[in-house]
Amino acid sequence: MGSIPEDDTCSIARSLGVLGERWTLLIIRDALEGFTRFQEFRRSLGVAADVLTARLAMLVEHGVMTKVDYQEPGERRRSEYRLTEAGRELYVVLSALQQWGDRHVPADAGPSLKRVDVETGASVHVGFVGDDGMELPPARVELRPTESYSPLRRRLHEERQARAGSR
């Protein structure tokens, strides 16, 4: 069901194989806000039932959500969809997307949600934090290839560096 490239060494490509579809991220957004039921997602998103069913099944298949049965009195058995630990970890990812959107494609009325410290009420933002707990500006963060880096991407990276060095 999922579309994860089996031989891809890129974590971003593998993640997008699970998450890289608009409805998927919006389902996770709603789940982070506490929605668990199919009809809640459907009403919130306005998505077709078959699309929602497929996206929820994929999120369950890849361990982002878990499906839990429930039954209201006098009703048939239904399912809730709850975020797993992996799903809850996407809070930072979606917060980063929100932060970027608020800055680069803002709504006329301003941000729809604000990220705040629950203890102090102070605004918070997403950023890079070193092992020492200190925040680093993006300019101080560098991506360095590891042994599992794709040979093709390594070659392209090296060619780009060589071109930059010859200027």
Side-chain angles (χ1 to χ4, degrees), residues 8-83:
D8 201 322
T9 61
C10 177
S11 302
I12 295 170
R14 289 192 316 275
S15 297
L16 289 173
V18 176
L19 306 170
E21 197 277 327
R22 178 181 193 262
W23 292 119
T24 302
L25 291 175
L26 293 175
I27 290 166
I28 294 166
R29 175 205 63 190
D30 282 1
L32 286 165
E33 289 185 31
F35 293 18
T36 60
R37 297 184 177 180
F38 187 90
Q39 287 305 324
E40 291 175 325
F41 292 118
R42 182 116 193 269
R43 284 198 323 263
S44 170
L45 300 172
V47 62
D50 61 328
V51 172
L52 180 56
T53 298
R55 297 303 178 271
L56 287 168
M58 188 190 64
L59 289 168
V60 169
E61 176 187 345
H62 290 288
V64 177
M65 298 184 102
T66 186
K67 187 175 176 178
V68 179
D69 288 339
Y70 74 94
Q71 187 170 7
E72 298 286 348
E75 298 279 329
R76 68 179 175 86
R77 185 178 305 261
R78 298 180 187 272
S79 297
E80 284 188 326
Y81 297 87
R82 298 181 189 160
L83 291 169

Coordinates of all heavy atoms in Angstrom, one line a residue, residues 8-83:
D8 N 16.1 3.3 -1.3 CA 16.5 4.7 -1.2 C 17.2 4.9 0.2 O 16.6 4.6 1.2 CB 15.3 5.6 -1.3 CG 15.7 7.0 -1.7 OD1 16.7 7.5 -1.2 OD2 14.9 7.7 -2.5
T9 N 18.3 5.5 0.2 CA 19.1 5.8 1.4 C 18.7 7.1 2.0 O 19.1 7.4 3.1 CB 20.6 5.8 1.2 OG1 20.9 6.8 0.2 CG2 21.0 4.4 0.6
C10 N 17.9 7.9 1.3 CA 17.5 9.2 1.8 C 16.3 9.2 2.8 O 15.2 8.8 2.4 CB 17.2 10.2 0.6 SG 16.7 11.8 1.1
S11 N 16.6 9.6 4.0 CA 15.5 9.6 5.0 C 14.3 10.5 4.6 O 13.2 10.2 4.9 CB 16.1 10.1 6.4 OG 17.1 9.3 6.8
I12 N 14.6 11.6 3.9 CA 13.6 12.5 3.5 C 12.7 11.8 2.5 O 11.4 11.8 2.6 CB 14.1 13.8 3.0 CG1 14.8 14.6 4.1 CG2 13.0 14.7 2.3 CD1 15.6 15.8 3.6
A13 N 13.3 11.1 1.5 CA 12.5 10.4 0.5 C 11.7 9.3 1.1 O 10.5 9.1 0.8 CB 13.4 9.8 -0.6
R14 N 12.2 8.6 2.1 CA 11.5 7.5 2.7 C 10.3 8.1 3.5 O 9.2 7.6 3.5 CB 12.4 6.7 3.6 CG 13.4 5.8 2.8 CD 14.0 4.7 3.7 NE 14.5 5.2 5.0 CZ 15.7 5.9 5.2 NH1 16.5 6.0 4.1 NH2 16.0 6.3 6.4
S15 N 10.6 9.2 4.2 CA 9.5 9.9 5.0 C 8.4 10.4 4.1 O 7.2 10.2 4.4 CB 10.1 11.0 5.8 OG 11.1 10.6 6.7
L16 N 8.8 10.9 3.0 CA 7.8 11.4 2.0 C 7.0 10.3 1.4 O 5.8 10.5 1.0 CB 8.4 12.3 1.0 CG 8.9 13.7 1.4 CD1 9.6 14.4 0.3 CD2 7.7 14.5 1.9
G17 N 7.6 9.1 1.3 CA 6.8 7.9 0.9 C 5.6 7.6 1.8 O 4.6 7.0 1.3
V18 N 5.7 8.0 3.0 CA 4.6 7.8 4.0 C 3.8 9.1 4.1 O 2.6 9.0 4.1 CB 5.1 7.4 5.3 CG1 4.0 7.2 6.4 CG2 5.9 6.0 5.2
L19 N 4.4 10.2 4.2 CA 3.8 11.4 4.6 C 3.6 12.5 3.5 O 2.9 13.5 3.8 CB 4.6 12.1 5.7 CG 4.9 11.3 6.9 CD1 6.0 12.0 7.8 CD2 3.7 11.0 7.7
G20 N 4.1 12.2 2.4 CA 4.2 13.3 1.4 C 3.0 13.6 0.5 O 3.1 13.9 -0.6
E21 N 1.9 13.5 1.1 CA 0.6 13.8 0.4 C -0.2 14.8 1.3 O -0.2 14.6 2.5 CB -0.1 12.5 0.2 CG -1.2 12.5 -0.9 CD -2.5 13.1 -0.3 OE1 -2.8 12.8 0.9 OE2 -3.2 13.8 -1.0
R22 N -0.7 15.8 0.7 CA -1.4 16.8 1.4 C -2.4 16.3 2.5 O -2.4 16.8 3.6 CB -2.1 17.7 0.4 CG -2.9 18.9 1.0 CD -3.6 19.7 -0.1 NE -4.1 20.9 0.4 CZ -5.4 21.1 0.8 NH1 -6.2 20.1 0.7 NH2 -5.7 22.3 1.3
W23 N -3.3 15.4 2.1 CA -4.3 14.9 3.0 C -3.7 14.2 4.2 O -4.2 14.4 5.3 CB -5.3 14.0 2.3 CG -6.2 14.7 1.3 CD1 -6.2 14.4 0.0 CD2 -7.1 15.8 1.5 NE1 -7.1 15.3 -0.6 CE2 -7.6 16.2 0.3 CE3 -7.4 16.6 2.7 CZ2 -8.6 17.2 0.2 CZ3 -8.4 17.6 2.5 CH2 -8.9 17.9 1.3
T24 N -2.6 13.5 4.0 CA -1.9 12.8 5.1 C -1.5 13.8 6.2 O -1.7 13.6 7.4 CB -0.8 12.0 4.5 OG1 -1.2 11.1 3.5 CG2 -0.1 11.2 5.6
L25 N -0.8 14.9 5.8 CA -0.3 15.8 6.8 C -1.5 16.5 7.4 O -1.4 16.9 8.6 CB 0.6 16.8 6.1 CG 1.9 16.3 5.6 CD1 2.8 17.3 4.9 CD2 2.7 15.7 6.8
L26 N -2.6 16.8 6.7 CA -3.7 17.4 7.4 C -4.4 16.5 8.3 O -4.9 17.0 9.4 CB -4.7 18.0 6.3 CG -4.1 19.1 5.4 CD1 -5.0 19.5 4.3 CD2 -3.7 20.3 6.3
I27 N -4.5 15.2 8.0 CA -5.0 14.2 9.0 C -4.2 14.3 10.3 O -4.7 14.3 11.4 CB -5.0 12.8 8.4 CG1 -6.1 12.7 7.3 CG2 -5.3 11.8 9.4 CD1 -6.0 11.5 6.4
I28 N -2.9 14.3 10.1 CA -2.0 14.3 11.3 C -2.2 15.6 12.1 O -2.2 15.6 13.3 CB -0.5 14.0 10.9 CG1 -0.4 12.6 10.3 CG2 0.4 14.3 12.1 CD1 0.9 12.4 9.6
R29 N -2.3 16.7 11.3 CA -2.6 18.0 12.0 C -3.8 17.9 12.9 O -3.8 18.2 14.1 CB -2.8 19.1 11.0 CG -3.2 20.4 11.6 CD -3.9 21.3 10.6 NE -5.2 20.7 10.2 CZ -5.9 21.2 9.2 NH1 -5.5 22.3 8.5 NH2 -7.1 20.6 8.9
D30 N -4.9 17.3 12.3 CA -6.2 17.2 13.0 C -6.0 16.2 14.2 O -6.5 16.5 15.3 CB -7.3 16.7 12.1 CG -7.8 17.9 11.3 OD1 -7.4 19.0 11.4 OD2 -8.8 17.6 10.5
A31 N -5.2 15.2 14.0 CA -5.0 14.2 15.1 C -4.2 14.8 16.2 O -4.5 14.6 17.4 CB -4.3 12.9 14.6
L32 N -3.3 15.7 15.9 CA -2.5 16.4 16.9 C -3.4 17.4 17.7 O -3.2 17.7 18.9 CB -1.3 17.2 16.3 CG -0.2 16.3 15.9 CD1 0.8 17.1 15.0 CD2 0.6 15.7 17.1
E33 N -4.5 17.8 17.1 CA -5.5 18.7 17.8 C -6.5 17.9 18.5 O -7.4 18.5 19.1 CB -6.1 19.6 16.8 CG -5.2 20.7 16.2 CD -5.9 21.7 15.3 OE1 -7.1 22.0 15.5 OE2 -5.2 22.2 14.4
G34 N -6.4 16.5 18.5 CA -7.3 15.7 19.3 C -8.4 15.0 18.5 O -9.1 14.2 19.1
F35 N -8.5 15.1 17.2 CA -9.5 14.4 16.4 C -9.1 12.9 16.4 O -7.9 12.6 16.2 CB -9.6 14.9 15.0 CG -10.1 16.3 14.9 CD1 -10.2 17.2 15.9 CD2 -10.6 16.8 13.7 CE1 -10.7 18.5 15.8 CE2 -11.1 18.0 13.5 CZ -11.2 18.9 14.6
T36 N -10.0 12.0 16.5 CA -9.7 10.6 16.4 C -10.7 9.8 15.5 O -10.4 8.7 15.1 CB -9.8 9.9 17.8 OG1 -11.1 10.1 18.3 CG2 -8.8 10.5 18.8
R37 N -11.8 10.4 15.2 CA -12.9 9.6 14.5 C -13.0 10.0 13.1 O -12.8 11.2 12.7 CB -14.2 9.8 15.2 CG -14.2 9.3 16.7 CD -15.5 9.3 17.4 NE -15.3 8.7 18.7 CZ -16.3 8.6 19.6 NH1 -17.5 9.1 19.3 NH2 -16.1 8.0 20.7
F38 N -13.3 9.0 12.3 CA -13.4 9.1 10.8 C -14.3 10.4 10.5 O -13.8 11.2 9.7 CB -14.0 7.9 10.2 CG -14.0 7.9 8.7 CD1 -12.9 7.3 8.0 CD2 -15.1 8.3 8.0 CE1 -12.9 7.3 6.7 CE2 -15.1 8.3 6.6 CZ -14.0 7.8 5.9
Q39 N -15.4 10.5 11.0 CA -16.3 11.6 10.7 C -15.8 12.9 11.1 O -16.0 13.9 10.5 CB -17.7 11.3 11.3 CG -18.5 10.3 10.5 CD -18.6 10.5 9.0 OE1 -18.8 11.6 8.6 NE2 -18.6 9.4 8.3
E40 N -15.0 13.0 12.2 CA -14.4 14.2 12.6 C -13.4 14.7 11.5 O -13.4 15.8 11.1 CB -13.6 14.1 13.9 CG -14.5 13.9 15.1 CD -13.7 13.6 16.4 OE1 -12.7 12.9 16.3 OE2 -14.2 14.0 17.5
F41 N -12.5 13.7 11.1 CA -11.6 14.0 10.0 C -12.3 14.5 8.8 O -12.0 15.5 8.1 CB -10.7 12.8 9.7 CG -9.7 12.5 10.8 CD1 -9.8 11.2 11.4 CD2 -8.7 13.3 11.2 CE1 -8.9 10.9 12.4 CE2 -7.8 13.0 12.3 CZ -7.9 11.8 12.9
R42 N -13.3 13.8 8.4 CA -14.1 14.0 7.2 C -14.7 15.4 7.2 O -14.6 16.2 6.3 CB -15.1 12.9 7.0 CG -15.9 13.1 5.7 CD -15.7 11.9 4.8 NE -16.2 12.2 3.5 CZ -17.4 11.9 3.1 NH1 -18.3 11.2 3.9 NH2 -17.8 12.2 1.9
R43 N -15.3 15.8 8.3 CA -16.0 17.1 8.4 C -14.9 18.2 8.5 O -15.1 19.2 7.8 CB -16.9 17.2 9.7 CG -18.2 16.4 9.5 CD -19.2 16.8 10.5 NE -18.8 17.1 11.9 CZ -18.8 16.2 12.9 NH1 -19.3 15.0 12.7 NH2 -18.4 16.6 14.1
S44 N -13.9 18.0 9.2 CA -12.8 19.0 9.3 C -12.1 19.3 7.9 O -11.9 20.4 7.5 CB -11.8 18.6 10.3 OG -10.6 19.4 10.2
L45 N -11.8 18.2 7.2 CA -11.1 18.3 6.0 C -11.9 18.4 4.7 O -11.4 18.9 3.7 CB -10.2 17.1 5.9 CG -9.2 16.8 7.0 CD1 -8.5 15.5 6.9 CD2 -8.2 18.0 7.0
G46 N -13.1 17.9 4.7 CA -13.9 18.0 3.5 C -13.4 17.0 2.5 O -13.6 17.2 1.3
V47 N -12.7 16.0 2.9 CA -12.1 15.0 2.0 C -13.1 13.9 1.6 O -13.9 13.5 2.5 CB -10.8 14.5 2.6 CG1 -11.1 13.7 3.9 CG2 -10.0 13.6 1.7
A48 N -12.9 13.3 0.5 CA -13.8 12.2 0.0 C -13.5 11.0 1.0 O -12.4 10.8 1.4 CB -13.5 11.8 -1.4
A49 N -14.5 10.3 1.2 CA -14.4 9.1 2.2 C -13.4 8.1 1.7 O -12.6 7.6 2.5 CB -15.8 8.5 2.3
D50 N -13.3 7.8 0.4 CA -12.4 6.8 -0.1 C -10.9 7.3 0.1 O -10.0 6.5 0.4 CB -12.7 6.4 -1.5 CG -12.6 7.6 -2.5 OD1 -12.9 8.7 -2.1 OD2 -12.2 7.3 -3.7
V51 N -10.7 8.6 -0.1 CA -9.4 9.1 0.1 C -9.0 9.1 1.5 O -7.9 8.7 1.9 CB -9.3 10.6 -0.5 CG1 -8.0 11.2 -0.1 CG2 -9.5 10.6 -2.0
L52 N -9.9 9.5 2.4 CA -9.6 9.4 3.9 C -9.4 8.0 4.3 O -8.4 7.8 5.1 CB -10.8 10.1 4.6 CG -10.7 10.1 6.1 CD1 -9.4 10.8 6.6 CD2 -11.9 10.7 6.8
T53 N -10.2 7.1 3.9 CA -10.0 5.7 4.2 C -8.6 5.2 3.8 O -7.9 4.5 4.6 CB -11.1 4.8 3.6 OG1 -12.3 5.2 4.1 CG2 -10.9 3.3 3.8
A54 N -8.2 5.5 2.6 CA -6.9 5.1 2.1 C -5.7 5.7 2.9 O -4.8 5.0 3.3 CB -6.7 5.4 0.6
R55 N -5.9 7.0 3.2 CA -4.8 7.7 4.0 C -4.7 7.2 5.4 O -3.6 7.0 5.9 CB -5.0 9.2 4.0 CG -5.0 9.9 2.6 CD -3.7 9.6 1.9 NE -3.7 10.2 0.6 CZ -4.1 9.7 -0.5 NH1 -4.6 8.5 -0.5 NH2 -4.1 10.3 -1.7
L56 N -5.8 7.0 6.0 CA -5.8 6.4 7.4 C -5.2 5.0 7.4 O -4.4 4.7 8.3 CB -7.2 6.4 8.0 CG -7.8 7.8 8.4 CD1 -9.3 7.7 8.7 CD2 -7.0 8.4 9.6
A57 N -5.6 4.2 6.4 CA -5.0 2.8 6.4 C -3.5 2.9 6.2 O -2.8 2.1 6.8 CB -5.7 2.1 5.2
M58 N -3.0 3.8 5.4 CA -1.6 3.9 5.2 C -0.9 4.4 6.5 O 0.2 3.8 6.8 CB -1.3 4.9 4.0 CG 0.2 4.9 3.7 SD 0.7 6.2 2.6 CE 0.4 7.6 3.6
L59 N -1.5 5.3 7.2 CA -0.9 5.8 8.4 C -0.9 4.6 9.5 O 0.1 4.5 10.2 CB -1.6 7.0 8.9 CG -1.4 8.3 8.1 CD1 -2.4 9.3 8.5 CD2 0.0 8.8 8.3
V60 N -1.9 3.8 9.5 CA -1.9 2.7 10.4 C -0.8 1.6 10.0 O -0.1 1.2 10.8 CB -3.3 2.0 10.5 CG1 -3.3 0.7 11.2 CG2 -4.3 3.0 11.1
E61 N -0.8 1.4 8.7 CA 0.2 0.4 8.1 C 1.6 0.8 8.5 O 2.5 -0.1 8.8 CB 0.0 0.3 6.6 CG 1.1 -0.6 5.9 CD 1.0 -0.5 4.4 OE1 0.0 0.0 3.9 OE2 2.0 -1.0 3.8
H62 N 1.9 2.1 8.5 CA 3.3 2.5 8.7 C 3.5 2.9 10.2 O 4.6 3.5 10.5 CB 3.6 3.7 7.8 CG 3.8 3.2 6.3 ND1 4.8 2.4 5.9 CD2 2.9 3.3 5.3 CE1 4.6 2.1 4.6 NE2 3.5 2.6 4.2
G63 N 2.6 2.6 11.0 CA 2.8 2.8 12.5 C 2.7 4.3 12.9 O 3.2 4.6 14.0
V64 N 2.1 5.1 12.1 CA 1.9 6.5 12.5 C 0.7 6.7 13.4 O 0.6 7.5 14.3 CB 1.9 7.5 11.3 CG1 1.6 8.9 11.6 CG2 3.2 7.3 10.5
M65 N -0.3 5.9 13.1 CA -1.6 5.8 13.8 C -1.9 4.4 14.2 O -1.4 3.5 13.5 CB -2.7 6.5 13.1 CG -2.5 7.9 12.7 SD -4.0 8.6 11.9 CE -4.7 9.5 13.3
T66 N -2.7 4.2 15.2 CA -3.3 2.9 15.5 C -4.8 3.0 15.4 O -5.4 4.0 15.7 CB -2.7 2.4 16.9 OG1 -3.1 1.1 17.1 CG2 -3.2 3.3 18.0
K67 N -5.4 1.9 15.1 CA -6.8 1.8 14.9 C -7.4 1.1 16.1 O -7.0 0.0 16.4 CB -7.2 1.0 13.6 CG -8.6 1.0 13.2 CD -8.7 0.3 11.9 CE -10.1 0.2 11.4 NZ -10.2 -0.5 10.1
V68 N -8.3 1.7 16.8 CA -8.9 1.2 18.0 C -10.4 1.2 17.9 O -11.0 2.2 17.6 CB -8.5 2.1 19.3 CG1 -9.1 1.5 20.5 CG2 -7.0 2.2 19.4
D69 N -11.0 0.0 18.1 CA -12.5 -0.1 18.0 C -13.2 0.5 19.2 O -12.6 0.5 20.3 CB -12.9 -1.5 17.9 CG -12.6 -2.1 16.5 OD1 -12.4 -1.4 15.6 OD2 -12.5 -3.4 16.4
Y70 N -14.3 1.1 19.0 CA -15.2 1.6 20.0 C -16.6 1.4 19.6 O -16.9 1.2 18.4 CB -14.9 3.1 20.3 CG -15.5 4.1 19.3 CD1 -16.7 4.6 19.4 CD2 -14.7 4.4 18.1 CE1 -17.2 5.5 18.4 CE2 -15.2 5.2 17.1 CZ -16.5 5.8 17.3 OH -17.0 6.6 16.3
Q71 N -17.5 1.5 20.6 CA -19.0 1.4 20.2 C -19.8 2.2 21.2 O -19.7 2.1 22.4 CB -19.4 -0.1 20.4 CG -20.8 -0.4 19.9 CD -21.1 -1.9 19.8 OE1 -20.3 -2.7 20.2 NE2 -22.2 -2.2 19.2
E72 N -20.5 3.2 20.6 CA -21.5 4.0 21.3 C -22.7 3.1 21.6 O -23.1 2.2 20.8 CB -21.9 5.2 20.5 CG -20.7 6.2 20.1 CD -20.3 7.0 21.3 OE1 -21.0 7.0 22.4 OE2 -19.2 7.6 21.2
P73 N -23.4 3.4 22.7 CA -24.6 2.6 23.0 C -25.6 2.7 21.9 O -25.9 3.8 21.4 CB -25.1 3.3 24.3 CG -23.9 4.0 24.9 CD -23.1 4.4 23.8
G74 N -26.1 1.5 21.5 CA -27.1 1.4 20.4 C -26.5 1.6 19.0 O -27.3 1.6 18.0
E75 N -25.2 1.8 18.9 CA -24.6 2.0 17.6 C -23.8 0.8 17.2 O -23.4 0.0 18.0 CB -23.7 3.3 17.6 CG -24.4 4.5 17.9 CD -25.1 5.1 16.7 OE1 -24.6 4.9 15.6 OE2 -26.1 5.8 16.9
R76 N -23.4 0.7 15.9 CA -22.5 -0.3 15.5 C -21.1 0.0 15.9 O -20.7 1.1 16.2 CB -22.6 -0.5 14.0 CG -22.1 0.6 13.1 CD -22.2 0.2 11.6 NE -21.8 1.3 10.8 CZ -20.6 1.6 10.4 NH1 -19.6 0.8 10.7 NH2 -20.3 2.6 9.6
R77 N -20.2 -1.0 15.9 CA -18.8 -0.8 16.2 C -18.1 0.0 15.2 O -18.4 -0.1 14.0 CB -18.1 -2.2 16.3 CG -16.7 -2.1 16.8 CD -16.1 -3.5 16.9 NE -16.9 -4.4 17.8 CZ -16.6 -4.6 19.0 NH1 -15.6 -4.1 19.6 NH2 -17.4 -5.4 19.7
R78 N -17.3 1.0 15.6 CA -16.6 1.9 14.7 C -15.1 1.9 15.2 O -14.8 1.3 16.2 CB -17.2 3.3 14.7 CG -18.6 3.3 14.2 CD -19.1 4.8 14.3 NE -20.5 4.8 13.9 CZ -21.0 5.0 12.7 NH1 -20.2 5.0 11.7 NH2 -22.3 5.0 12.5
S79 N -14.3 2.6 14.4 CA -12.9 2.7 14.8 C -12.5 4.1 15.1 O -13.0 5.1 14.4 CB -12.0 2.1 13.7 OG -12.3 0.8 13.5
E80 N -11.6 4.3 16.0 CA -10.9 5.6 16.2 C -9.5 5.4 15.7 O -8.9 4.3 15.7 CB -10.8 5.9 17.7 CG -12.1 6.4 18.3 CD -11.9 6.9 19.7 OE1 -11.1 6.3 20.5 OE2 -12.6 7.8 20.1
Y81 N -8.9 6.5 15.4 CA -7.5 6.5 14.9 C -6.7 7.4 15.8 O -7.0 8.6 16.0 CB -7.4 7.0 13.5 CG -8.2 6.1 12.5 CD1 -9.5 6.3 12.3 CD2 -7.5 5.1 11.9 CE1 -10.2 5.4 11.5 CE2 -8.2 4.2 11.1 CZ -9.6 4.4 10.9 OH -10.2 3.5 10.0
R82 N -5.7 6.8 16.5 CA -4.9 7.5 17.5 C -3.5 7.5 17.1 O -3.0 6.5 16.5 CB -5.1 6.9 18.9 CG -6.5 6.9 19.4 CD -6.6 6.2 20.7 NE -8.0 6.1 21.1 CZ -8.4 5.3 22.1 NH1 -7.5 4.5 22.7 NH2 -9.7 5.2 22.4
L83 N -2.9 8.6 17.3 CA -1.4 8.8 17.0 C -0.6 7.8 17.9 O -0.8 7.7 19.1 CB -1.0 10.2 17.2 CG -1.5 11.2 16.2 CD1 -1.2 12.6 16.6 CD2 -1.0 10.9 14.8

